[in-house]
Amino acid sequence: MSILSVSALLAALVAVPVPAHAGLTPAEPTQSPSTSPSTQPEADEESAISDVVLQVGADESARNLSWMSENSGEGEVRWAKTSELEGSALPEDAHSAETSDSGLSTDLKRHYNHASMTGLEPDTEYSYQVGSEEDGYSAVAQFDTGGSGGDSEFLVFGDPQVGAGGGQPDDATGWDRTLNSGLETAQDPRFFFSLGDQVNSAGDQGQYEQYLAPEATQEVPQATTIGNHDVASKSYEQHFNRPNVSSDHGEGGLVASGGDYWFIDSGVLFININSNDSDTDEHAEFIDEVVAEHGDEARWTVLGFHHSIYSTATHNSDLDVKRLREAIPPVAARNDIDLVVSGHDHIYNRTFLMDAEGKKVESSDAGLEQEKEEGQTMYLTLTSSSGSKFYDYVPGLDWEAKSVHNDIPAFTRVRVSDEALRATTYEVPAEGAQQAEAQAASEKIDDVEITRSGDDAPEPGTDAGADADAEDAAASSDGSSADADSASADADGASAEADSVSAEADGASPEADGTDSSDGSNSADAGTSSDGAESDSDSDSDSERADSDAATAGTTDNDGTTEAEGTTDNDGTTESDGADANAASAAPADSGTTSANSDSAADGGDLPRTGTQLGLPIGLGAGAVIIGAVLLLVSKRRRSLR
């Protein structure tokens, strides 16, 4: 067995993926329900099925689903290849899987349902529907799994916050326009990523219906991050069936949503943390564990959370943001996070490459090409994707490489290859129209490409050590190492090949040749700050810690409207974010100081990507030493026989 084969086998044994739901496997083909698909009700205002959401799965072979039903939970998802449809209906032998979770919705009128489609093939179009005999079935919808491996792309959107505009402007239409513009701009994106505050009021089912109204939410998988406007109700958890959710990190509470989670897609490891939970040690532990267990399965690592720590708008001086800004950079550095994406501040901003201490990397600039050393990270802040709410620009911050503050909705297109992550950001001007069909063409406002310094990393799953050894051996001055490795790997000392190696190696050595700056004044002990015209400080975001599980109804935003869910924003809507006003705790030092746990990441450039990566190079090195010793003995023996 060759070194490459052995290495591939070892990598497969180490990198076993964790399923999204234990025990959930593709069901054997079953007969269709007693209600024939051809007679199942279309999804309309009278349907018993609503709020169907297609989402990412734990890996590329799975897709998760959520939906609401009127009569009961415990329904199912049915799916088949679109090529197998019988007219417009699923075939009788379509695959099916029962709900993995269901229960009474927070509105006490409907039931939520979660299920997963697994065992999906790449480059294949599938059709699916959800429901039950009691509720009927949703209309058949289609999605494409896309290619496996190779180049790909995904879309990122900042806060849709449907409901924040109160209809003036119509943020539901703005969200639909921006989402569709992104899908038209990108080339078959694998999924889209919404960075929190999907809705303005955590428990408002009407706002969720508006957020989920675009057809794309049933046809293109999405991943979501929980924002401070989502956290105060279980509605977020009920509407979004996220993969690999931790029950111990970033979890919600009795009436609050939460849970850190992760997934892998297109060679990228995506990690999402609930930044409303102020326990940064918990988040750090989660990130460390996920990267240690799954980092070797991915080429790039992207971290997402709602509260931007390097914004150029007014939330950058909030106490909860300062705590995150102190805690995240060391964790990102020691885990070699390549890109961090966040929202919350309704402004677009890109940082320089940042180090483990949260400081600008000296060689980094505002240009297109950014070559990163290990342990360096870039941070993007995404602005509103609906256009109903923006924040004032704060100039002069040390981390700002590029900031755009035109008060226009935007999205970011991220293209992924083995060599680079390229993030291109576009604005979507409304041009006076608030109609989705009058969609304006997107306009590019920023572009950045992240590559790795001295990038010779292979694709995930390939043998980096074997490839590197072959190249080094060919350039070696003794001229014998490459032949010796090749011969000894297959020959077991066979005389013909040993003769050839010995002749080349005469007189050759047996040894190988080769070998924080100020972030602005804090506006209040509670972490609030003025944003000028809107004066929206989102003070509820200062603490969304789930230990405040009591279902308190409504603190008030400064625009005067009160909502049943109730934390306080200065824009006037009230939501029960579960905030416990932890601003009473002592504020940390500004971003220039280093977190206590950063001593293990003092120099991000020298940090290993993951601990498990060390095993393969050590094993290959030991094997090379043994092979070299055997060849040296063979060579000496032949000389002694002459």
Side-chain angles (χ1 to χ4, degrees), residues 93-162:
D93 62 351
H95 295 283
S96 67
E98 295 181 352
T99 54
S100 56
D101 187 25
S102 63
L104 187 63
S105 169
T106 57
D107 62 9
L108 306 181
K109 299 176 181 178
R110 301 178 297 173
H111 294 77
Y112 70 90
N113 303 266
H114 293 174
S116 296
M117 296 177 284
T118 56
L120 304 176
E121 299 175 9
D123 283 319
T124 304
E125 185 178 73
Y126 284 90
S127 296
Y128 74 93
Q129 59 185 173
V130 298
S132 66
E133 293 187 19
E134 185 175 5
D135 287 294
Y137 285 79
S138 65
V140 174
Q142 285 81 35
F143 68 95
D144 195 310
T145 55
S148 179
D151 297 353
S152 64
E153 54 186 276
F154 61 94
L155 293 166
V156 189
F157 296 91
D159 308 29
Q161 204 168 339
V162 173

Side-chain angles (χ1 to χ4, degrees), residues 299 418 452-459 462-465 467-468 471-472:
R299 178 71 179 91
D418 291 330
R452 292 184 178 280
S453 177
D455 195 351
D456 56 359
E459 296 181 9
T462 61
D463 186 356
D467 292 341
E471 292 176 6
D472 291 345

Side-chain angles (χ1 to χ4, degrees), residues 157 173-183 385-386 409-411 428:
F157 296 91
T173 299
W175 161 238
D176 183 79
R177 182 176 55 249
T178 304
L179 175 58
N180 287 324
S181 181
L183 293 172
S385 57
S386 59
F411 65 89
V428 187

Side-chain angles (χ1 to χ4, degrees), residues 468-494:
D469 287 347
E471 292 176 6
D472 291 345
S476 171
S477 64
D478 62 18
S480 64
S481 298
D483 291 339
D485 285 347
S486 174
S488 61
D490 298 319
D492 274 342

Side-chain angles (χ1 to χ4, degrees), residues 199-219:
V199 297
N200 188 59
S201 303
D204 192 314
Q205 300 302 313
Q207 291 176 7
Y208 271 109
E209 289 174 6
Q210 290 182 317
Y211 170 78
L212 298 172
E215 290 184 7
T217 60
Q218 297 183 42
E219 300 171 348

